Amino acid sequence: MGKLRAAQYACSLLGHALQKHGASPELQKQIRQLEGHLSLGRKLLRLGNSADALESAKRAVHLSDVVLRFCITVSHLNRALYFACDNVLWAGKSGLAPRVDQEKWAQRSFRYYLFSLIMNLSRDAYEIRLLMEQESSACSRRLKGSGGGVPGGIEMRGSGGPGSPGGGLPQLALKFRLRVLLLARVLRSHPPLLLDVVRNACDLFIPLDKLGLWRCGPGIVGLCGLVSSILSILTLICPWLRLKP
């Protein structure tokens, strides 16, 4: 499935590049047809995915963390609805249900896809926040134990205010810099979380473009879809890179 998706978005990116460089209309048509066939093949292979997404939602209901439980459950429910709309689209494109309004069902499917990605990114943001708090506390304990100050680590609780020496804009800039350093440290230490953030962020451009909320063009959509697909294949090759639960 991941290879088909990568091939589909590679065709989208290639088609955009050919159009930009003035390739022959016949070649562009062949690439578009290949992309369409790959899309239809993916829809056929996803016929049972709604049931799998519902089962995943049922498992997520039992998570102890209330925020993770909400984000993951709602994400899987939206994915189930997305796959259901995708099945209707497949029936329409394959000729089994020729009266299906494909544009309406496509818009519905991309809306559910967008909601699912928003929940995934919310979950990522929550996990990042928890890890940043843990890392900040650990740094504070190490600094207190060694008698050091901010330069030796990442101390997030500055004591100065706007009216104190060194306060104001320079201190805000320092706090921002420390936050960025802390975020980089957390993501570098947790590759599954980093991959999940990048993959969800790349996927987000697809429904935003298809729904007309942010037109980024077929080139950006193809590139983001290709990057996301490669990362998905990577998590299949290396299961330890998959974010859990």
Side-chain angles (χ1 to χ4, degrees):
M1 181 70 74
K3 293 179 181 178
L4 273 179
R5 188 175 190 266
Q8 178 189 341
Y9 284 110
C11 286
S12 176
L13 185 60
L14 178 59
H16 174 72
L18 290 174
Q19 183 181 14
K20 189 175 180 181
H21 290 86
S24 66
E26 183 63 27
L27 179 58
Q28 294 183 43
K29 181 181 177 182
Q30 290 176 354
I31 295 297
R32 285 195 300 270
Q33 288 177 343
L34 177 58
E35 181 185 354
H37 292 322
L38 289 170
S39 176
L40 191 61
R42 287 181 59 221
K43 284 176 170 48
L44 175 62
L45 294 176
R46 290 201 298 247
L47 286 179
N49 284 13
S50 287
D52 293 338
L54 288 174
E55 284 298 320
S56 298
K58 286 169 61 177
R59 289 194 296 270
V61 168
H62 302 290
L63 293 174
S64 57
D65 190 299
V66 65
V67 177
L68 288 180
R69 182 166 67 239
F70 174 78
C71 290
I72 297 176
T73 302
V74 174
S75 173
H76 284 309
L77 290 176
N78 276 284
R79 281 180 62 82
L81 292 169
Y82 161 68
F83 287 131
C85 293
D86 206 51
N87 295 342
V88 175
L89 277 172
W90 174 81
K93 290 185 177 182
S94 63
L96 294 177
R99 295 185 179 181
V100 166
D101 187 339
Q102 295 189 25
E103 180 63 26
K104 182 180 71 175
W105 283 96
Q107 291 291 302
R108 286 178 178 172
S109 69
F110 283 119
R111 275 198 294 270
Y112 290 128
Y113 186 31
L114 177 61
F115 293 151
S116 175
L117 291 173
I118 290 173
M119 286 295 101
N120 289 344
L121 287 169
S122 299
R123 176 257 182 100
D124 291 337
Y126 175 70
E127 297 223 30
I128 288 172
R129 177 174 171 270
L130 291 181
L131 291 170
M132 286 178 69
E133 289 177 352
Q134 294 173 9
E135 184 68 21
S136 177
S137 299
C139 285
S140 297
R141 287 194 297 270
R142 287 197 296 268
L143 288 171
K144 288 177 182 178
S146 62
V150 172
I154 300 178
E155 174 62 59
M156 301 308 299
R157 300 180 181 85
S159 58
S164 63
L169 191 59
Q171 185 167 354
L172 288 175
L174 176 62
K175 286 184 177 181
F176 177 76
R177 178 173 174 271
L178 293 176
R179 282 283 179 182
V180 172
L181 290 173
L182 182 58
L183 175 62
R185 178 183 293 183
V186 165
L187 291 177
R188 188 171 62 246
S189 303
H190 299 82
L193 182 56
L194 174 60
L195 260 65
D196 200 66
V197 170
V198 175
R199 187 177 61 180
N200 287 322
C202 287
D203 281 338
L204 193 64
F205 287 95
I206 300 171
L208 288 178
D209 180 80
K210 299 297 184 181
L211 293 170
L213 299 175
W214 186 10
R215 294 292 186 185
C216 38
I220 298 297
V221 170
L223 178 61
C224 290
L226 180 59
V227 171
S228 171
S229 302
I230 292 172
L231 293 179
S232 296
I233 294 172
L234 187 60
T235 60
L236 293 175
I237 297 173
C238 306
W240 66 273
L241 289 174
R242 181 181 293 276
L243 186 63
K244 299 175 183 178

